[in-house]
Amino acid sequence: MNRAHLMWLALYLLFATPLAAQTPAPKPAEEHKPVPVYGKTPDMVIPYRSFVDPYTRFFQEILPFRGVIDDKQHVVAGEPIRIGFFAPLGDAPDGDLGQEMLDAVTLAIEQANAAGGYQGRPFELVKRADSGLWGASSNEMVAFKYEDDVVAVIGSIDGGNTHIALRVALKVQLAMVNTATTDPTLTETNIPWLLRCMADARQQGYALAHHIFVECGIEKVAMLRVNNRFGRMGIGEFRDAARRLKHPLRVEMRWEPRRHDFDLQLDRIAQTEPEAIVLWGDARDCAAVVREIRRRNMPVRIFGCDRLVSSTFLELAGGAAEGVVAVATHDPTRADPKLTEFVEAYKARFQREPETFAAHAYDGANILLTAIAKVGPSRFAIRDALYDFTNFDGVTGPIEFDTTLNDIGPVYIATVRNGAFVYRPAEFTKAALNSDAPAPYRSLAQSAPTARTPVRQSDTVRETYRVGCYLPLDAGGEAALRGIRMALAEDAAHHPDAMPIELLVRDSRAGKATEGWGENTGALTDLVLSDEVLAVIGSTERRGTHLAEMLAAKFHFPVLSLCPSDATITQIPLPWVFQVASDSIGIDPGFARRFSEKYSIGPDRHAAWGYDAGAVVATNIRRGARDRVSLRNALASGSEETPFCRFDALGNRKTERTATSSTSPIESGLAGP
């Protein structure tokens, strides 16, 4: 080793050890903190939520502006403060919506000027039309800055043109207030010069998905949308939510704007046999679609985006609009003095009722005017003032902003009833879609079928409460049937003036002992669909019970199983199955005595299980559970008031004996009045 090598080795030994000693110790792991959910995304539609935590999350903090401030109070004393307005007008696509916006912004500025403007300076509205031509919006934004000398811009409607305008706004440093674009990606560009005060397609999609799949219990949905950016970007979040809620769209079809020939699309949709169609397009096109769907008598429910909530849709769709459900970005019928004052002022100024786009434009204009009143006509100060907003109380209701300055305030479900829209708040952020990671088996309490199951409306007025019995009429089945009939006879004796409970019996073997399982599945289907029984008792063997389970998964009715030999019956994520039979349950002497007196033979375990199934159904019907959903909920409640037959969270029986008194539970008052 030569002298040079020794010198480098000495230097390494001199400095390496101190540097190593100064290396900081690893930081302790940070405590787990709740992570804000972007865009009020419901837990169950967050991708991969049950499998992996993301490496990073976006949109957790408001993005600051880090550029160079080159601004001045450029408005000369006495000169007006100019505000730009950018939207389609006249015959341009969405020109009618643009005119609504213009009128509302004009009203807001006139009111501000009547109140003194900004320190005596009036506001002036500078209008530039969004022609709809790709790229033209960039020229208009440049003109707003260098020709018109505006301090901020309100607009526009088209998502593509607004995206372009926003990128120019970044370069010319001009704040934008958007009141009409529903493209969810608009505020996700990380360009800190934009505020939006209208619920986007993300909020609309989540609200529709919750209403359709959870509240209505619909599973088969087709999509029909306009073939442009509004339709393409609009349905994205709804489509993803449908897939993550395990109900992917059956088909997605498109129509060309303002071309009202939908034969090809509706023929293809009809082949998929959907329960519902979701429309995404403007009011005129959607009205034409709805008329055609009604003309064809398609057995579907119709849902749609916010563009349907308009007088134009109601007028053009006529009677075909009845029953249509759409998501709405505000409720114009609510009692609110601020809203009432705006409506009266708008009607007085323009001789017509304001609609959705007018209301949001009025709020956007007032948000901007509030910011200017706070900081003056400085473009950078206005941007900062806009980004100080966390909420705003407008004529559309409470507006809440997320970290991208996007409106995530309330949205509404609007239903056409008697020719007008009826509104209620959408509930997609509530517990029905927000839950912890799924357990190995979903319990009855976790399933919430009340929220997602529609109540079947029968066309026939029934004179009895119908209960079905589906089992093989062999020795065990006959014994179980005697027990069920005994329970219902005791109920009838105890309630002589009440509507009777009728038992409809179907032999799962079709009455032929030589036929195998599944030969009489049509009888079970008829019990559920034609006879509309409230519940099905059976079967005594596992295959018939599983068959009833599969039908319950589709049509939602309680199944009370009398088969004790298959533990998997309650180990599936199906909150409609209750296991009455159990080998550990003894026969009560009082029940045995009554049974022997009635039938002149002693009861076996099938008879005891059948009696308990009949008695617990009768008990809950008499207490008010007179439809399938409420009967299921009563059975799942595990009420201590029915100790002879209660169930745990998976539907397994908890009690250890049948009929726990010498008299029947019905005679002892357990069945209620």
Side-chain angles (χ1 to χ4, degrees), residues 100-118:
E100 288 184 35
M101 294 170 56
L102 176 59
D103 291 344
V105 174
T106 299
L107 176 62
I109 288 181
E110 289 176 352
Q111 291 174 339
N113 286 337
Y118 173 74

Side-chain angles (χ1 to χ4, degrees), residues 15 197 229 276 307 417 543 545 554 592 614:
F15 292 105
C197 63
R229 184 182 178 89
R307 294 282 183 98
R417 294 177 183 164
R543 293 174 297 179
T545 302
K554 185 67 176 176

Side-chain angles (χ1 to χ4, degrees), residues 168-290:
V168 179
L170 172 65
K171 299 298 290 183
V172 300
Q173 299 176 331
L174 195 60
M176 293 181 64
V177 174
N178 186 271
T179 70
T181 303
T182 57
D183 184 342
T185 66
L186 181 64
T187 62
E188 296 176 347
T189 54
N190 278 342
I191 296 177
W193 288 89
L194 176 73
L195 175 146
R196 173 163 52 190
C197 63
M198 181 181 187
D200 65 4
R202 179 187 300 274
Q203 304 298 296
Q204 295 185 39
Y206 294 157
L208 269 182
H210 178 271
H211 178 66
I212 292 171
F213 299 117
V214 179
E215 294 179 331
C216 296
I218 293 172
E219 298 178 351
K220 298 184 291 185
V221 175
M223 170 64 70
L224 183 55
R225 69 168 177 87
V226 64
N227 189 26
N228 58 19
R229 184 182 178 89
F230 171 69
R232 182 175 69 256
M233 301 304 295
I235 63 102
E237 295 298 336
F238 175 82
R239 181 177 54 222
D240 289 346
R243 185 176 67 252
R244 291 163 189 158
L245 290 171
K246 301 180 177 59
H247 301 300
L249 298 179
R250 290 302 178 98
V251 66
E252 179 185 326
M253 301 297 292
R254 310 166 190 172
W255 77 79
E256 293 301 319
R258 302 189 180 187
R259 292 182 59 183
H260 294 170
D261 180 4
F262 308 105
D263 287 341
L264 175 64
Q265 294 90 333
L266 292 179
D267 287 344
R268 178 69 182 89
I269 287 173
Q271 293 174 8
T272 68
E273 299 182 348
E275 300 169 78
I277 298 177
V278 175
L279 306 179
W280 215 281
D282 67 23
R284 296 178 182 276
D285 289 356
C286 288
V289 177
V290 170

Side-chain angles (χ1 to χ4, degrees), residues 479-480 482-484 486-487 490 586-599 601-612 615 657-665:
R482 283 192 287 269
I484 299 169
M486 176 177 165
E490 291 178 351
I587 299 177
D588 182 81
F591 162 73
R593 175 185 55 79
R594 299 195 315 278
F595 188 92
S596 299
E597 291 173 354
K598 183 175 181 64
Y599 296 111
I601 58 173
D604 63 7
R605 59 180 189 166
H606 289 98
W609 298 335
Y611 177 87
D612 282 355
R657 298 194 64 174
T658 189
T660 57
S661 68
S662 59
T663 60
S664 78

Side-chain angles (χ1 to χ4, degrees), residues 373-434:
K374 178 181 178 182
V375 299
S378 164
R379 294 190 180 99
F380 289 89
I382 290 171
R383 190 222 76 92
D384 291 344
L386 291 176
Y387 271 70
D388 284 340
F389 280 106
T390 58
N391 53 72
F392 185 83
D393 186 16
V395 300
T396 59
I399 302 172
E400 179 185 356
F401 296 105
D402 67 7
T403 54
T404 67
L405 270 290
N406 193 46
D407 181 358
I408 56 170
V411 293
Y412 302 85
I413 299 298
T415 305
V416 180
R417 294 177 183 164
N418 299 320
F421 281 103
V422 178
Y423 299 80
R424 69 167 179 82
E427 299 181 347
F428 68 92
T429 59
K430 293 192 176 181
L433 276 185
N434 288 271

